[in-house]
Amino acid sequence: MAVAASITLLTMEHISPRLDPLRAVLSLAVDPIKYMVDFPSKTAARISSSLKSYADLKAENDTLKIQEAANKLHFLKFEALEKENIRLRALLEQSYELGEQVLIAEILAVNIASAYENTVVVNKGSRFGVHAQQPVVDASGVVGQVFRALPETSEIMLITDPNHAIPVQVNRNGLLTIAVGSGELNRLNFPYLPENADIKPGDLLITSGLGGTFPQGYPVAIVDPFTPPATKQITATPKAALDRNRELMLVWSNSKPLPINTPSSSPQTGDENTDHD
Amino acid sequence: MINTYGFGRIILTLIIAMGLKIAPLPHAFAVYNPDWVLLTLIYWSLAFPERVGIFHAWTFGLLNDVLTGRLFGQYALAYALVIYLCLLAHKRLRQFSLIQQALFIFFCLLLSQLLLFFIKNIQHTAELKPTFWLSVFTGTLCWPVVYTVLRFVRLAKPIN
């Protein structure tokens, strides 16, 4: 009887999302375990941060101040460029997608993955509006996407998971391809590159925005060194610190294009943003 | 007659086992992490076959599915089958020495791991890596520890 019940459940969930509420309810019973397992490492991190010496803190503060100044400078320029971009796009009568919202989520120190999977659990769930297929980034690049959003936690599939593929383009020349996870946290594969693809070691790969899950223009990976004729063996190292950081950002990219009121034309034509470089 | 006395202890050990299952080990050690929940369930089903049966195995399997984000019913199916086997053989198993028991446990863990792999393979093709079997071996080696600890838990305040 139990066998029949499990097989029914398996097939039912495999074909339809109707069991999601049941999973949400059961997860309320199970999620405390995740927080319980996370507790020791979080406490250890808190203790070690409260034991930092004054000199260390001072040094960290100084470097952060310098970084902040540099970032501010970049940002000034970025704002000017963004305005210019909006104006130019308005001239072309194209909508401009900006104002992606982010929510900071913390990785729980739990390990739910089996030997092949690269998944992590974060402490924000559907109560915060998190939904499946939502892109996840960190300060340096794309991390992955939300695989399943439970009420209190959500499961995130990293870009290096063997079942994950992300549409990317080479930042240098706009070459489009797909980066597939390898199962190892420091490698992405490119099974769909043609023999004569113009790709070089050190090229930056950014999201292409095709496929609709990931917004365009986030850095993904850097191409590893390889000897030029071997296009099939090209690999890349993800930009994001997949196994080292604790804070991630969940991005809402499906937001409607913001109203643009600088020039007189009306750019909200409802068109998808279609150019890629 | 359903005797629920001492039930809290069983549930508590199972919750701890679930916590151990998702313990944040470094990636290299994570493949060795055995299926603690199944080991605990096996122990309790051998100790109290009239109290911990297929239903509990199935329920905790389901909770385990939710905990580890698997397709619903995956662990539930594997656990229910293994506990069924344990219930069939529990009278004989109790007479066995720890080593003999461990051998039986080895086959139980292997069966559960195979079922999980089989279901995963239907879902999307999974690659069979040699590291996949490591947790079965460590699980077998951990059985004497689980047995001793849970026996201590059981006898600390007699349940009957």
Side-chain angles (χ1 to χ4, degrees), chain A residues 188-232:
Chain A
L188 291 169
N189 293 334
F190 300 92
Y192 309 113
L193 269 180
E195 283 293 331
N196 57 353
D198 177 17
I199 189 163
K200 286 184 195 157
D203 273 347
L204 173 68
L205 300 167
I206 59 173
T207 51
S208 68
L210 298 180
T213 302
F214 292 95
Q216 192 209 341
Y218 280 102
V220 177
I222 299 226
V223 177
D224 291 333
F226 65 94
T227 43
T231 346
K232 288 290 168 225

Short mmCIF file of all heavy atoms in Angstrom, two decimals, chain A residues 188-232:
data_model
loop_
_atom_site.label_atom_id
_atom_site.label_comp_id
_atom_site.label_asym_id
_atom_site.label_seq_id
_atom_site.Cartn_x
_atom_site.Cartn_y
_atom_site.Cartn_z
N LEU A 188 32.38 25.41 -15.71
CA LEU A 188 31.21 25.36 -16.59
C LEU A 188 31.67 24.79 -17.93
O LEU A 188 32.80 25.02 -18.35
CB LEU A 188 30.65 26.76 -16.82
CG LEU A 188 29.98 27.46 -15.64
CD1 LEU A 188 29.73 28.91 -15.99
CD2 LEU A 188 28.68 26.79 -15.30
N ASN A 189 30.82 24.04 -18.59
CA ASN A 189 31.16 23.46 -19.89
C ASN A 189 30.39 24.16 -21.00
O ASN A 189 29.33 24.74 -20.76
CB ASN A 189 30.83 21.97 -19.92
CG ASN A 189 31.71 21.19 -18.97
OD1 ASN A 189 32.82 21.61 -18.67
ND2 ASN A 189 31.21 20.07 -18.49
N PHE A 190 30.90 24.03 -22.22
CA PHE A 190 30.24 24.64 -23.38
C PHE A 190 30.09 23.62 -24.50
O PHE A 190 30.87 23.60 -25.44
CB PHE A 190 31.05 25.85 -23.88
CG PHE A 190 31.19 26.89 -22.83
CD1 PHE A 190 32.28 26.89 -21.98
CD2 PHE A 190 30.22 27.83 -22.65
CE1 PHE A 190 32.39 27.83 -20.98
CE2 PHE A 190 30.33 28.78 -21.66
CZ PHE A 190 31.41 28.77 -20.83
N PRO A 191 29.09 22.74 -24.39
CA PRO A 191 28.97 21.67 -25.39
C PRO A 191 28.47 22.14 -26.75
O PRO A 191 28.55 21.40 -27.72
CB PRO A 191 27.97 20.70 -24.75
CG PRO A 191 27.22 21.52 -23.78
CD PRO A 191 28.09 22.64 -23.34
N TYR A 192 27.96 23.37 -26.85
CA TYR A 192 27.33 23.79 -28.11
C TYR A 192 28.15 24.81 -28.88
O TYR A 192 27.61 25.55 -29.68
CB TYR A 192 25.94 24.35 -27.84
CG TYR A 192 25.09 23.44 -27.01
CD1 TYR A 192 24.70 23.79 -25.74
CD2 TYR A 192 24.71 22.19 -27.50
CE1 TYR A 192 23.94 22.95 -24.96
CE2 TYR A 192 23.96 21.34 -26.73
CZ TYR A 192 23.58 21.72 -25.46
OH TYR A 192 22.83 20.86 -24.70
N LEU A 193 29.46 24.87 -28.62
CA LEU A 193 30.27 25.84 -29.35
C LEU A 193 30.68 25.26 -30.69
O LEU A 193 31.11 24.11 -30.76
CB LEU A 193 31.53 26.16 -28.55
CG LEU A 193 31.47 27.33 -27.57
CD1 LEU A 193 32.82 27.46 -26.91
CD2 LEU A 193 31.10 28.61 -28.27
N PRO A 194 30.57 26.01 -31.78
CA PRO A 194 31.08 25.52 -33.06
C PRO A 194 32.60 25.50 -33.07
O PRO A 194 33.25 26.15 -32.24
CB PRO A 194 30.53 26.53 -34.07
CG PRO A 194 30.27 27.75 -33.28
CD PRO A 194 29.91 27.31 -31.91
N GLU A 195 33.16 24.77 -34.04
CA GLU A 195 34.61 24.59 -34.12
C GLU A 195 35.35 25.92 -34.26
O GLU A 195 36.42 26.11 -33.72
CB GLU A 195 34.97 23.69 -35.31
CG GLU A 195 34.71 22.22 -35.09
CD GLU A 195 35.63 21.62 -34.04
OE1 GLU A 195 36.75 22.13 -33.88
OE2 GLU A 195 35.21 20.67 -33.36
N ASN A 196 34.75 26.83 -35.04
CA ASN A 196 35.48 28.05 -35.36
C ASN A 196 35.02 29.23 -34.50
O ASN A 196 35.13 30.37 -34.89
CB ASN A 196 35.28 28.39 -36.84
CG ASN A 196 33.82 28.54 -37.17
OD1 ASN A 196 32.97 28.27 -36.33
ND2 ASN A 196 33.52 28.98 -38.38
N ALA A 197 34.49 28.94 -33.31
CA ALA A 197 33.96 30.01 -32.47
C ALA A 197 35.08 30.96 -32.06
O ALA A 197 36.19 30.53 -31.75
CB ALA A 197 33.32 29.41 -31.23
N ASP A 198 34.76 32.24 -32.07
CA ASP A 198 35.75 33.24 -31.69
C ASP A 198 35.70 33.43 -30.19
O ASP A 198 34.96 34.26 -29.67
CB ASP A 198 35.44 34.55 -32.42
CG ASP A 198 36.38 35.66 -32.01
OD1 ASP A 198 37.44 35.33 -31.44
OD2 ASP A 198 36.07 36.83 -32.27
N ILE A 199 36.46 32.63 -29.49
CA ILE A 199 36.47 32.72 -28.03
C ILE A 199 37.89 32.54 -27.56
O ILE A 199 38.65 31.73 -28.11
CB ILE A 199 35.50 31.67 -27.43
CG1 ILE A 199 35.31 31.89 -25.94
CG2 ILE A 199 35.93 30.25 -27.72
CD1 ILE A 199 34.10 31.18 -25.39
N LYS A 200 38.30 33.35 -26.60
CA LYS A 200 39.70 33.35 -26.17
C LYS A 200 39.77 33.13 -24.67
O LYS A 200 38.82 33.47 -23.96
CB LYS A 200 40.32 34.71 -26.48
CG LYS A 200 40.62 34.95 -27.93
CD LYS A 200 41.32 36.29 -28.05
CE LYS A 200 41.30 36.76 -29.49
NZ LYS A 200 41.46 38.22 -29.56
N PRO A 201 40.88 32.60 -24.18
CA PRO A 201 41.04 32.51 -22.73
C PRO A 201 40.95 33.89 -22.11
O PRO A 201 41.47 34.85 -22.65
CB PRO A 201 42.46 31.93 -22.57
CG PRO A 201 42.73 31.24 -23.85
CD PRO A 201 41.98 31.97 -24.90
N GLY A 202 40.27 33.97 -20.99
CA GLY A 202 40.13 35.24 -20.30
C GLY A 202 38.93 36.06 -20.72
O GLY A 202 38.68 37.12 -20.18
N ASP A 203 38.17 35.57 -21.71
CA ASP A 203 36.95 36.28 -22.12
C ASP A 203 35.93 36.29 -20.99
O ASP A 203 35.75 35.28 -20.30
CB ASP A 203 36.32 35.59 -23.34
CG ASP A 203 36.91 36.11 -24.63
OD1 ASP A 203 37.59 37.14 -24.57
OD2 ASP A 203 36.68 35.47 -25.67
N LEU A 204 35.26 37.42 -20.84
CA LEU A 204 34.19 37.49 -19.85
C LEU A 204 32.87 37.07 -20.50
O LEU A 204 32.53 37.51 -21.59
CB LEU A 204 34.06 38.93 -19.32
CG LEU A 204 32.88 39.19 -18.39
CD1 LEU A 204 33.06 38.45 -17.09
CD2 LEU A 204 32.71 40.68 -18.13
N LEU A 205 32.15 36.18 -19.83
CA LEU A 205 30.85 35.74 -20.32
C LEU A 205 29.78 36.42 -19.49
O LEU A 205 29.85 36.41 -18.26
CB LEU A 205 30.72 34.22 -20.20
CG LEU A 205 31.77 33.44 -20.98
CD1 LEU A 205 31.77 32.00 -20.55
CD2 LEU A 205 31.48 33.55 -22.46
N ILE A 206 28.79 37.00 -20.16
CA ILE A 206 27.69 37.62 -19.43
C ILE A 206 26.38 36.98 -19.85
O ILE A 206 26.32 36.31 -20.88
CB ILE A 206 27.63 39.15 -19.69
CG1 ILE A 206 27.46 39.43 -21.17
CG2 ILE A 206 28.87 39.83 -19.16
CD1 ILE A 206 27.22 40.88 -21.49
N THR A 207 25.35 37.16 -19.04
CA THR A 207 24.06 36.58 -19.41
C THR A 207 23.54 37.29 -20.66
O THR A 207 23.68 38.50 -20.80
CB THR A 207 23.04 36.76 -18.29
OG1 THR A 207 23.03 38.12 -17.89
CG2 THR A 207 23.37 35.90 -17.11
N SER A 208 22.92 36.52 -21.55
CA SER A 208 22.46 37.10 -22.81
C SER A 208 21.02 37.57 -22.71
O SER A 208 20.54 38.30 -23.58
CB SER A 208 22.60 36.09 -23.93
OG SER A 208 21.70 35.03 -23.73
N GLY A 209 20.30 37.14 -21.66
CA GLY A 209 18.91 37.57 -21.56
C GLY A 209 17.97 36.72 -22.38
O GLY A 209 16.76 36.85 -22.27
N LEU A 210 18.50 35.83 -23.22
CA LEU A 210 17.63 34.92 -23.96
C LEU A 210 17.08 33.88 -22.98
O LEU A 210 17.71 33.56 -21.99
CB LEU A 210 18.41 34.21 -25.07
CG LEU A 210 19.00 35.12 -26.13
CD1 LEU A 210 19.75 34.30 -27.15
CD2 LEU A 210 17.91 35.90 -26.82
N GLY A 211 15.94 33.36 -23.29
CA GLY A 211 15.36 32.37 -22.39
C GLY A 211 14.48 33.00 -21.33
O GLY A 211 13.60 32.36 -20.79
N GLY A 212 14.73 34.26 -21.02
CA GLY A 212 13.81 34.99 -20.16
C GLY A 212 14.00 34.81 -18.67
O GLY A 212 13.41 35.54 -17.90
N THR A 213 14.83 33.84 -18.25
CA THR A 213 14.98 33.66 -16.81
C THR A 213 15.95 34.67 -16.22
O THR A 213 15.66 35.32 -15.23
CB THR A 213 15.47 32.24 -16.51
OG1 THR A 213 14.55 31.32 -17.06
CG2 THR A 213 15.59 32.01 -15.03
N PHE A 214 17.10 34.79 -16.87
CA PHE A 214 18.12 35.68 -16.34
C PHE A 214 18.07 37.02 -17.07
O PHE A 214 17.99 37.04 -18.30
CB PHE A 214 19.50 35.07 -16.51
CG PHE A 214 19.71 33.86 -15.66
CD1 PHE A 214 19.49 32.59 -16.18
CD2 PHE A 214 20.11 33.98 -14.35
CE1 PHE A 214 19.67 31.48 -15.40
CE2 PHE A 214 20.29 32.87 -13.56
CZ PHE A 214 20.07 31.62 -14.08
N PRO A 215 18.11 38.13 -16.34
CA PRO A 215 18.18 39.42 -17.01
C PRO A 215 19.52 39.56 -17.73
O PRO A 215 20.50 38.93 -17.35
CB PRO A 215 18.06 40.43 -15.87
CG PRO A 215 18.45 39.68 -14.65
CD PRO A 215 18.12 38.25 -14.88
N GLN A 216 19.54 40.41 -18.74
CA GLN A 216 20.73 40.53 -19.56
C GLN A 216 21.82 41.30 -18.85
O GLN A 216 21.55 42.23 -18.09
CB GLN A 216 20.34 41.25 -20.85
CG GLN A 216 21.41 41.18 -21.91
CD GLN A 216 21.37 42.38 -22.80
OE1 GLN A 216 20.37 43.08 -22.85
NE2 GLN A 216 22.47 42.63 -23.50
N GLY A 217 23.06 40.88 -19.08
CA GLY A 217 24.19 41.71 -18.72
C GLY A 217 24.87 41.42 -17.40
O GLY A 217 25.78 42.14 -17.02
N TYR A 218 24.45 40.37 -16.69
CA TYR A 218 25.17 40.04 -15.46
C TYR A 218 26.37 39.18 -15.80
O TYR A 218 26.27 38.26 -16.63
CB TYR A 218 24.27 39.26 -14.50
CG TYR A 218 23.32 40.12 -13.72
CD1 TYR A 218 21.98 40.21 -14.07
CD2 TYR A 218 23.77 40.83 -12.61
CE1 TYR A 218 21.11 41.01 -13.36
CE2 TYR A 218 22.90 41.62 -11.89
CZ TYR A 218 21.58 41.70 -12.26
OH TYR A 218 20.73 42.48 -11.55
N PRO A 219 27.53 39.42 -15.17
CA PRO A 219 28.69 38.57 -15.45
C PRO A 219 28.46 37.15 -14.94
O PRO A 219 27.88 36.96 -13.87
CB PRO A 219 29.83 39.26 -14.69
CG PRO A 219 29.19 40.15 -13.72
CD PRO A 219 27.85 40.52 -14.26
N VAL A 220 28.90 36.17 -15.71
CA VAL A 220 28.69 34.77 -15.33
C VAL A 220 30.02 34.09 -15.04
O VAL A 220 30.20 33.50 -13.97
CB VAL A 220 27.96 34.00 -16.45
CG1 VAL A 220 27.81 32.54 -16.06
CG2 VAL A 220 26.61 34.61 -16.71
N ALA A 221 30.95 34.14 -16.00
CA ALA A 221 32.16 33.34 -15.84
C ALA A 221 33.28 33.92 -16.69
O ALA A 221 33.06 34.78 -17.54
CB ALA A 221 31.89 31.90 -16.24
N ILE A 222 34.48 33.43 -16.43
CA ILE A 222 35.65 33.81 -17.22
C ILE A 222 36.20 32.55 -17.86
O ILE A 222 36.33 31.52 -17.19
CB ILE A 222 36.72 34.46 -16.32
CG1 ILE A 222 36.12 35.72 -15.70
CG2 ILE A 222 38.01 34.70 -17.07
CD1 ILE A 222 36.97 36.91 -15.73
N VAL A 223 36.50 32.63 -19.15
CA VAL A 223 36.96 31.45 -19.88
C VAL A 223 38.35 31.05 -19.38
O VAL A 223 39.23 31.90 -19.23
CB VAL A 223 36.98 31.73 -21.39
CG1 VAL A 223 37.52 30.54 -22.14
CG2 VAL A 223 35.59 32.08 -21.87
N ASP A 224 38.52 29.76 -19.13
CA ASP A 224 39.79 29.25 -18.65
C ASP A 224 40.81 29.20 -19.77
O ASP A 224 40.44 29.15 -20.95
CB ASP A 224 39.60 27.83 -18.10
CG ASP A 224 38.79 27.83 -16.83
OD1 ASP A 224 38.82 28.85 -16.14
OD2 ASP A 224 38.12 26.82 -16.54
N PRO A 225 42.10 29.17 -19.41
CA PRO A 225 43.13 29.01 -20.44
C PRO A 225 42.97 27.68 -21.17
O PRO A 225 42.68 26.66 -20.55
CB PRO A 225 44.43 29.03 -19.65
CG PRO A 225 44.11 29.68 -18.37
CD PRO A 225 42.68 29.38 -18.09
N PHE A 226 43.12 27.71 -22.48
CA PHE A 226 43.10 26.47 -23.27
C PHE A 226 43.96 26.69 -24.49
O PHE A 226 44.28 27.82 -24.86
CB PHE A 226 41.66 26.10 -23.66
CG PHE A 226 41.00 27.09 -24.58
CD1 PHE A 226 41.02 26.92 -25.95
CD2 PHE A 226 40.35 28.20 -24.05
CE1 PHE A 226 40.41 27.83 -26.79
CE2 PHE A 226 39.74 29.12 -24.89
CZ PHE A 226 39.77 28.93 -26.27
N THR A 227 44.37 25.60 -25.13
CA THR A 227 45.17 25.73 -26.34
C THR A 227 44.22 25.88 -27.52
O THR A 227 43.32 25.07 -27.67
CB THR A 227 46.07 24.50 -26.53
OG1 THR A 227 45.29 23.35 -26.24
CG2 THR A 227 47.26 24.55 -25.59
N PRO A 228 44.41 26.91 -28.35
CA PRO A 228 43.39 27.40 -29.26
C PRO A 228 42.58 26.41 -30.10
O PRO A 228 41.37 26.61 -30.15
CB PRO A 228 44.18 28.38 -30.13
CG PRO A 228 45.17 28.94 -29.19
CD PRO A 228 45.55 27.81 -28.28
N PRO A 229 43.11 25.36 -30.74
CA PRO A 229 42.18 24.64 -31.62
C PRO A 229 41.10 23.84 -30.88
O PRO A 229 40.13 23.43 -31.48
CB PRO A 229 43.10 23.71 -32.41
CG PRO A 229 44.34 23.63 -31.63
CD PRO A 229 44.45 24.82 -30.78
N ALA A 230 41.26 23.65 -29.57
CA ALA A 230 40.39 22.71 -28.85
C ALA A 230 39.11 23.39 -28.37
O ALA A 230 38.98 23.73 -27.21
CB ALA A 230 41.15 22.10 -27.68
N THR A 231 38.16 23.62 -29.27
CA THR A 231 36.93 24.30 -28.86
C THR A 231 36.08 23.43 -27.96
O THR A 231 35.31 23.93 -27.16
CB THR A 231 36.09 24.66 -30.09
OG1 THR A 231 36.89 24.53 -31.24
CG2 THR A 231 35.54 26.05 -29.95
N LYS A 232 36.19 22.11 -28.13
CA LYS A 232 35.31 21.23 -27.37
C LYS A 232 35.65 21.18 -25.89
O LYS A 232 34.81 20.87 -25.06
CB LYS A 232 35.38 19.80 -27.95
CG LYS A 232 34.69 19.66 -29.28
CD LYS A 232 33.18 19.77 -29.17
CE LYS A 232 32.55 19.91 -30.54
NZ LYS A 232 31.53 20.94 -30.62
#
